[in-house]
Amino acid sequence: MKELFDKVSLKCSRYVTTSYSTSFSLGIKCLEKPLRDPICSIYGFVRFADEIVDTFHDYDKQDLLDRFKADTYKAIDEKISLNPILNSFQHTVNRYNIDLDLIEKFLYSMEMDLTKTQYNQSKYEEYILGSAEVVGLMCLKVFCNGELAQYERLKPYAMKLGSAFQKINFLRDLNADYVEMGRTYFPGVELNNFDEKEKLEIEKDIQEDFSMGLEGIKKLPKSSRFGVYLAYVYYYALFNKIRRTPSSSVLNKRIRIPNQVKFSILFYTYLKHRLNII
């Protein structure tokens, strides 16, 4: 029975989520139960694509990504895949009518990582759109559960929140992206001379995205609000830690939030949620 295979596929997506990201796992667990598996399926799909371009250095990344892309569309069209991550993803795509254009933009941004090493403003915005903003929109499709008017109203906020998260990832991973992979995402920034002025400009841009993203969180359905707000609080804590870190240190080490602090964030966020502060 395919029902059993679908359950196994979802378990694989859950395992990928918990294995790769403590913070997102906590956020997903704070969504209402019917939303958890669809969001895990999106995370699993995104994570596997990201692994191809960021990790599999001893393999033909272009060939792997091309096959992954072809298998993704085939899974969506046929409503099945023997790749359990793609099988659970196609189920979510078909159930929530996730636009193929969002998936195309995401996969194109992954392909950009195979060739682009420096980004001008236009390509930077294109990469942010594909790698982060459309992922937020995929999740928003699930959160709105077919309410198209609500989805359209919340789209700009979801995109800004995804943008903030991705830009923080860029700052957090400056060393790995630049030193190990030769990538420079921030346009006009010369990382050999990365200084406080440039760091402050980037932080100002992120703060603007965060402010709009928080407005959108307050408008989300109750079923998803707490989980998304937890992700916001975690990333904002990471953002504050980066702001307190000198530019030279940001370039030379990866900034992290210890797991014990993540659980403290969960407790603090839960209290705010229960008190209807958010």
Side-chain angles (χ1 to χ4, degrees):
M1 292 177 65
K2 187 170 183 293
E3 182 181 358
L4 177 58
F5 178 66
D6 288 342
K7 288 180 179 178
V8 171
S9 298
L10 282 170
K11 285 184 178 180
C12 290
S13 293
R14 286 185 217 135
Y15 183 74
V16 168
T17 305
T18 56
S19 297
Y20 277 97
S21 178
T22 304
S23 54
F24 273 103
S25 297
L26 288 172
I28 289 172
K29 287 177 182 177
C30 294
L31 301 171
E32 289 192 0
K33 195 169 183 179
L35 303 178
R36 296 173 192 170
D37 283 343
I39 298 302
C40 280
S41 76
I42 292 171
Y43 181 88
F45 167 75
V46 169
R47 171 50 59 187
F48 269 31
D50 198 56
E51 282 295 285
I52 291 172
V53 299
D54 281 356
T55 305
F56 302 152
H57 306 307
D58 296 330
Y59 302 88
D60 186 335
K61 295 180 181 182
Q62 184 68 65
D63 181 61
L64 289 173
L65 188 61
D66 288 345
R67 281 190 279 156
F68 187 75
K69 181 177 180 178
D71 289 346
T72 295
Y73 291 126
K74 189 172 184 180
I76 294 167
D77 181 54
E78 297 181 352
K79 297 182 172 60
I80 190 171
S81 174
L82 292 181
N83 178 331
I85 298 301
L86 292 182
N87 188 58
S88 63
F89 180 63
Q90 69 77 20
H91 185 271
T92 295
V93 171
N94 285 306
R95 178 180 176 184
Y96 293 96
N97 295 312
I98 293 175
D99 301 326
L100 293 183
D101 181 60
L102 300 180
I103 299 167
E104 179 67 26
K105 283 184 170 65
F106 168 74
L107 290 170
Y108 180 68
S109 74
M110 295 297 98
E111 192 162 11
M112 289 173 74
D113 268 337
L114 297 180
T115 55
K116 285 288 180 184
T117 54
Q118 290 186 318
Y119 288 75
N120 59 27
Q121 187 64 36
S122 174
K123 287 298 181 182
Y124 173 68
E125 291 174 3
E126 186 177 22
Y127 185 85
I128 293 284
L129 172 64
S131 65
E133 294 177 4
V134 299
V135 177
L137 294 180
M138 290 183 209
C139 294
L140 185 61
K141 277 280 189 176
V142 175
F143 298 153
C144 292
N145 194 23
E147 295 290 335
L148 291 180
Q150 184 181 52
Y151 172 77
E152 290 297 328
R153 187 169 65 251
L154 293 174
K155 271 180 68 173
Y157 303 101
M159 293 172 74
K160 286 295 184 182
L161 190 62
S163 176
F165 289 175
Q166 182 65 294
K167 290 169 186 175
I168 290 170
N169 287 340
F170 289 162
L171 275 178
R172 180 195 64 190
D173 297 333
L174 272 183
N175 179 269
D177 287 335
Y178 180 62
V179 177
E180 297 176 20
M181 299 186 185
R183 298 175 188 161
T184 303
Y185 289 107
F186 296 114
V189 174
E190 179 52 64
L191 291 181
N192 285 327
N193 300 299
F194 187 56
D195 59 24
E196 291 301 314
K197 182 180 178 182
E198 289 174 321
K199 182 170 173 283
L200 284 171
E201 284 297 314
I202 294 169
E203 290 167 355
K204 180 182 176 182
D205 180 46
I206 293 172
Q207 181 60 62
E208 290 173 358
D209 287 346
F210 259 132
S211 297
M212 187 168 175
L214 181 58
E215 288 181 44
I217 292 171
K218 294 175 181 178
K219 301 174 189 292
L220 281 171
K222 188 177 179 181
S223 57
S224 58
R225 195 180 309 144
F226 178 36
V228 178
Y229 182 61
L230 177 61
Y232 166 89
V233 172
Y234 164 73
Y235 265 93
Y236 205 82
L238 181 59
F239 181 46
N240 281 332
K241 188 170 183 178
I242 290 172
R243 284 200 285 198
R244 295 191 299 267
T245 304
S247 56
S248 57
S249 296
V250 170
L251 184 58
N252 291 319
K253 67 179 181 181
R254 193 175 196 263
I255 310 300
R256 298 177 182 272
I257 299 292
N259 283 339
Q260 62 267 30
V261 176
K262 292 179 184 178
F263 286 104
S264 297
I265 289 171
L266 173 61
F267 179 70
Y268 160 78
T269 308
Y270 177 73
L271 285 180
K272 290 191 73 173
H273 178 68
R274 294 292 295 174
L275 292 170
N276 292 318
I277 297 174
I278 182 66

